Amino acid sequence: MFRFRFEQILNYRKILEEQVMQEFSEQVRDLDGEKEHLRSLRSQKETLLAELMRKQAGTLSATEISLYFDYLKRLREREVAQIILIADKEKALELKREELVEAVKRRKIMEILKQKKLENYWKEWNHRESVELNEQGIMRFLKRYGDEKTDHNL
């Protein structure tokens, strides 16, 4: 029966890979959420600008214009902060991707080693089986023809 002596290490590496993959997936979902938030901010800004342009056709007081510009300024600041946050999350995601690639490599190395050990095991098993069958054949041959020789000598 084949037993891979590094099976525990292989299992451990599989578990690590799954954990890193789960963390990677969470970071991807988080990054997607942040990008969606940025799209929302930009949409709010576009809507506000369109509303301001529409109202400029009528009469706007200086106070209303000031309020619009203050709100636009805050939206721009939030947009810039969101862009920086997304850039940071993308860097973290890239590091996690590299960690995942490394975890996959480590697992694959162990799986390749296991496969080679299994192939060697079957080669040795087939060789032993062949030797045993040859010995059995020789024994049968000697038993069959060895008895005939002793009978002829009598």
Side-chain angles (χ1 to χ4, degrees):
M1 183 76 164
F2 174 73
R3 254 190 88 235
F4 183 53
R5 67 181 185 163
F6 299 116
E7 191 71 36
Q8 289 180 335
I9 296 172
L10 175 59
N11 291 336
Y12 176 72
R13 288 187 178 177
K14 284 179 182 179
I15 290 168
L16 282 180
E17 179 184 347
E18 288 171 10
Q19 288 174 345
V20 172
M21 191 174 298
Q22 186 173 4
E23 292 168 0
F24 178 77
S25 296
E26 288 170 6
Q27 285 184 348
V28 167
R29 281 191 301 275
D30 187 37
L31 179 61
D32 288 344
E34 297 299 343
K35 286 180 178 180
E36 182 58 38
H37 183 65
L38 178 62
R39 282 190 286 276
S40 173
L41 287 173
R42 287 178 173 165
S43 175
Q44 286 177 17
K45 190 174 77 172
E46 288 174 16
T47 302
L48 186 66
L49 282 171
E51 185 179 328
L52 180 61
M53 296 298 249
R54 211 173 347 102
K55 286 191 174 186
Q56 273 184 337
T59 57
L60 276 176
S61 68
T63 307
E64 288 178 312
I65 293 173
S66 176
L67 288 173
Y68 273 102
F69 279 109
D70 285 344
Y71 188 54
L72 276 171
K73 181 181 174 187
R74 277 182 282 174
L75 282 176
R76 284 188 192 123
E77 289 169 354
R78 287 172 55 194
E79 181 181 13
V80 168
Q82 191 66 22
I83 290 170
I84 292 169
L85 178 67
I86 288 172
D88 290 344
K89 290 194 181 253
E90 285 175 338
K91 287 176 189 173
L93 183 64
E94 187 57 36
L95 291 174
K96 190 56 75 173
R97 178 179 285 118
E98 290 171 8
E99 186 180 341
L100 178 59
V101 166
E102 190 61 32
V104 169
K105 283 181 188 177
R106 291 173 151 231
R107 177 195 43 88
K108 284 186 177 183
I109 287 169
M110 293 305 291
E111 286 181 344
I112 290 168
L113 179 61
K114 181 179 182 178
Q115 186 63 35
K116 286 183 179 182
K117 294 287 185 184
L118 183 61
E119 288 171 8
N120 287 338
Y121 169 81
W122 283 116
K123 281 181 186 176
E124 289 176 21
W125 188 85
N126 286 331
H127 178 70
R128 284 192 307 263
E129 188 74 17
S130 175
V131 167
E132 189 175 316
L133 287 174
N134 286 341
E135 287 176 359
Q136 288 176 1
I138 291 170
M139 294 303 279
R140 273 189 240 123
F141 176 81
L142 288 176
K143 199 179 231 185
R144 195 175 297 152
Y145 293 108
D147 288 344
E148 289 178 12
K149 279 188 177 180
T150 46
D151 287 344
H152 291 290
N153 289 338
L154 293 176

